[in-house]
Amino acid sequence: MPSLAIVGSQWGDEGKGKIIDYLAGKADMIVRGQGGSNAGHTVVSGGKKYALHLIPSGILNRDSVNIIGNGVAFDPQGFFAELEALARDGAPMGAIFVSDRAHIVFPYHKTLDALYEKERGGEDIGTTLKGIGPCYMDKIERSGLRVCDMLDIDDFRGKLEAQIDRKNRVIERLFGEEPLDKRDITETCVEYARRIRPYVRDTAVMVYEAAKAGKKILFEGAQGALLDIDLGTYPYVTSSHPTSGGFTTGAGVGPGLVSEVLGVTKAYTTRVGKGPFVTELENEIGDKIREIGQEYGATTGRPRRCGWFDGVVARYSARVNNVTGIALTLLDVLGSFDTIEICLRYELNGEKLEHFPARLGDLAACRPVYKTLKGWNADISRVRTWEDLPEETKEYILAVEDAAGVPVKIVSVGPGREQTIVREEVF
Ligand code: IMP
């Protein structure tokens, strides 16, 4: 299997970091094609925990080549901070390169992210405030600066100063706030421009040539399908395409390069930020899942909203991503419930709903239709084979498969690399 895309099947935080890290050992190249520092992948390696945001999760494998593709919102501050933290910890590190076509996140994007959120009042999206939306706004508006612009320092300085002037007009006139310090931002970013040079490549050529040479490529998704700007629960979404199509565009190659799509799917559902969530449990069961699963944002520390597994979401995600297999994660978290619910479909105004609706009003009015399964009431975190799983756990996994319409190929029973049960090799 030459290449694999790893997508989040829900609203992000599905435990992709662990699965990617587990599989990255088999990859020659790991590519990120969307999102930016808004992502939060926690990877446990050698007994140590690493929080990665922008840097691909394959970095901890010494032999890997890691790519930040053209579709990523590239934050140089976050990039250097993460590299420094890894070096300080003495983490094993592969090679890393950034696309010359990636758009740059500047400090004014973060300021504007916060100002737009404030302006939305009670209708705020609950963004990570990492400047992702405003950076992609500039890209789509065709006024953004790209990594290649950093290669000519004088030219970069001029372009950046003009952008800061422009943003300051928005900050002052639209929001009535104090302008940002042009000199300070320019000098900081010029310093990043000086340091970035050794990492910059036409990474699309690297990905293409690696594929042609038969190398194994892993496309690493950030966030999840339900946060996709087109396919997610708009407007409570991120500003990129965290779906398999977005990964290849964001890597600068065609979709034919992806042969397998692994949908990383939590054994239950979580969401950070706002927006309807049909299987949400605003009760002691939700609180219990949150505490056992330690469901607090890796990027923002916010408590995540928790609920039962949503088969409608899983089916939708499988369809829009062409998911060929599921990696079911955090299954160990459900080890102390007498019964467990699985949502098979929605009901809207007494009608059965086959497909995930576009209108948030409809989604908010949807009622989950559950199937109740027996819990396994056991610690499965030490189980390493399918055969050794309790019968009730196997039944739950088969019910997930049925609901999603896709086979569960990997089961994760804990954060460590070794806490992984492989039912079918995917890579
Ligand atoms: P933004 O990506 O910071 O603009 O935030 C937009 C929405 O996406 C918010 O609801 C965030 O909480 C959510 N979001 C962004 N990145 C992640 C992630 O990595 N995991 C889960 N939610 C995310």
Side-chain angles (χ1 to χ4, degrees), residues 195-217:
R195 292 171 66 193
I196 200 70
R197 204 169 258 280
Y199 300 98
V200 182
R201 296 282 189 286
D202 183 341
T203 52
V205 173
M206 295 175 75
V207 179
Y208 182 73
E209 289 186 345
K212 267 191 20 188
K215 302 270 187 212
K216 290 176 109 175
I217 302 171

Side-chain angles (χ1 to χ4, degrees), residues 11-13 38-40 125-128 223 227 237-238 272-273 302:
W11 278 279
D13 310 316
N38 50 350
I125 294 165
T127 75
T128 59
Q223 291 90 41
L227 289 171
V237 291
T238 191
V272 279
R302 287 180 290 181

Side-chain angles (χ1 to χ4, degrees), residues 89-108:
D89 274 5
M93 269 162 72
I96 176 139
F97 301 101
V98 57
S99 168
D100 48 7
R101 289 175 172 81
H103 277 253
I104 305 166
V105 178
F106 290 103
Y108 50 76

Side-chain angles (χ1 to χ4, degrees), residues 164-176:
I164 299 170
D165 285 340
R166 209 165 159 245
K167 299 303 180 197
N168 271 341
R169 283 199 291 278
V170 174
I171 290 167
E172 286 182 284
R173 294 185 196 168
L174 190 62
F175 293 104

Side-chain angles (χ1 to χ4, degrees), residues 64-85:
S64 61
V65 175
N66 295 270
I67 303 281
I68 296 178
N70 50 274
V72 171
F74 178 74
D75 176 357
Q77 185 205 350
F79 177 72
F80 288 117
E82 273 176 56
L83 276 187
E84 281 156 21

Side-chain angles (χ1 to χ4, degrees), residues 258-327:
V258 173
S259 41
E260 176 111 14
V261 181
L262 187 66
V264 183
T265 310
K266 229 175 226 184
Y268 45 93
T269 313
T270 63
R271 181 163 198 189
V272 279
K274 301 211 171 171
F277 176 178
V278 176
T279 61
E280 182 167 19
L281 295 163
E282 290 180 280
N283 56 23
E284 67 284 358
I285 301 175
D287 295 344
K288 183 171 164 183
I289 293 175
R290 183 177 312 106
E291 284 320 305
I292 300 175
Q294 276 305 293
E295 292 294 354
Y296 295 91
T299 303
T300 58
R302 287 180 290 181
R304 296 180 184 137
R305 300 157 64 193
C306 298
W308 293 124
F309 183 85
D310 187 334
V312 181
V313 164
R315 270 197 304 282
Y316 178 73
S317 192
R319 173 163 59 82
V320 300
N321 283 298
N322 190 33
V323 167
T324 54
I326 286 177

